[in-house]
Amino acid sequence: GRRSPQIDSRKTRKMLATLTYAAIAFQGAGLAARGTSSSAVMAAKKPAAVKKAPKGPADYGGVIGGFLESGGIYDPLNYAAGKDINRLRSVELKNGRICMLATLGYVVQETYSWPNTQGYFDGSNPIATFGTVPVFGVLQIIGVIALIETQTGNEWQRGAPGDIGFDPLGLAKDGVNPAYADAELKHCRLAMVGWLGFCLQSLVTGKGVLATTFDAFQ
């Protein structure tokens, strides 16, 4: 019979290696294609995240006092964005006016007490003195606060912010004087910071503001 031809072992190994690499390459391409397809499907099913539009700068509308102490609009947190600047100014003036009265009362309380035999409001530290107020007195204070809150605060919808019609000296009979308006706003802001400082000082030292101030000179 015939003799079968001899097979070159080197050619055989080379051929097997080529087939193996081809199979691996094909399998890898298939996996990549399937992975891309799955990712595309998942991306299609997942709803796109809706990004909130950033708040634009507040419209200050040329309101009086916008360029006082800072030389420009001072609103680092952009708090006024999306809000009515006239309402914010009305709230600022109302709180500032209350704090101006409170600051004055804080000092008066330390130097003068209403004469009485029950010991009410007796003390130079207004924080501690509040504890001597009878229940009916506290109810009166709450009643006045409620009256102010319900009867004021909407004037900005009818006219200038802060104009509640109280002008016993006739300072605004010819219209609001911008210089007076700026001066009031400065005092309002100073009083709000000052009253808070008074309270913290009394809470820390246990004394009134004047007593603590003069202690520094002793």
Side-chain angles (χ1 to χ4, degrees):
R2 285 185 176 179
R3 294 178 59 186
S4 58
Q6 292 183 353
I7 300 176
D8 190 342
S9 59
R10 287 181 299 178
K11 290 184 179 181
T12 302
R13 287 196 299 269
K14 185 176 181 181
M15 182 178 63
L16 291 174
T18 302
L19 292 174
T20 302
Y21 292 152
I24 293 175
F26 179 79
Q27 183 68 13
L31 289 174
R34 285 198 296 271
T36 304
S37 177
S38 300
S39 300
V41 172
M42 292 179 65
K45 290 183 178 180
K46 185 177 179 180
V50 179
K51 293 183 179 180
K52 292 184 179 180
K55 292 182 179 179
D59 180 13
Y60 296 96
V63 67
I64 292 177
F67 295 86
L68 285 178
E69 298 86 353
S70 61
I73 298 296
Y74 182 74
D75 188 11
L77 300 180
N78 203 24
Y79 178 78
K83 301 180 179 68
D84 193 311
I85 191 65
N86 290 312
R87 178 184 177 278
L88 297 180
R89 173 51 52 81
S90 174
V91 172
E92 181 182 26
L93 285 173
K94 180 167 70 172
N95 284 276
R97 290 165 177 172
I98 292 174
C99 283
M100 284 192 287
L101 292 173
T103 302
L104 177 62
Y106 209 99
V107 178
V108 171
Q109 171 62 44
E110 188 173 354
T111 57
Y112 177 80
S113 296
W114 193 271
N116 65 87
T117 58
Q118 292 81 10
Y120 299 149
F121 306 102
D122 187 14
S124 60
N125 182 352
I127 300 295
T129 305
F130 187 77
T132 67
V133 181
V135 176
F136 185 68
V138 175
L139 293 178
Q140 285 181 322
I141 294 173
I142 295 176
V144 171
I145 294 174
L147 182 64
I148 294 174
E149 287 296 322
T150 56
Q151 300 301 317
T152 62
N154 296 323
E155 82 290 340
W156 59 273
Q157 297 176 341
R158 302 183 299 271
D163 184 5
I164 59 176
F166 181 76
D167 185 19
L169 300 180
L171 298 177
K173 62 181 180 180
D174 298 326
V176 177
N177 187 328
Y180 292 163
D182 285 348
E184 181 187 31
L185 188 58
K186 286 184 177 181
H187 284 84
C188 283
R189 291 171 175 174
L190 179 61
M192 286 188 283
V193 176
W195 181 82
L196 178 61
F198 282 5
C199 291
L200 293 176
Q201 185 170 329
S202 294
L203 288 172
V204 171
T205 63
K207 299 180 181 180
V209 176
L210 295 179
T212 309
T213 301
F214 287 112
D215 283 347
F217 297 98
Q218 296 178 359

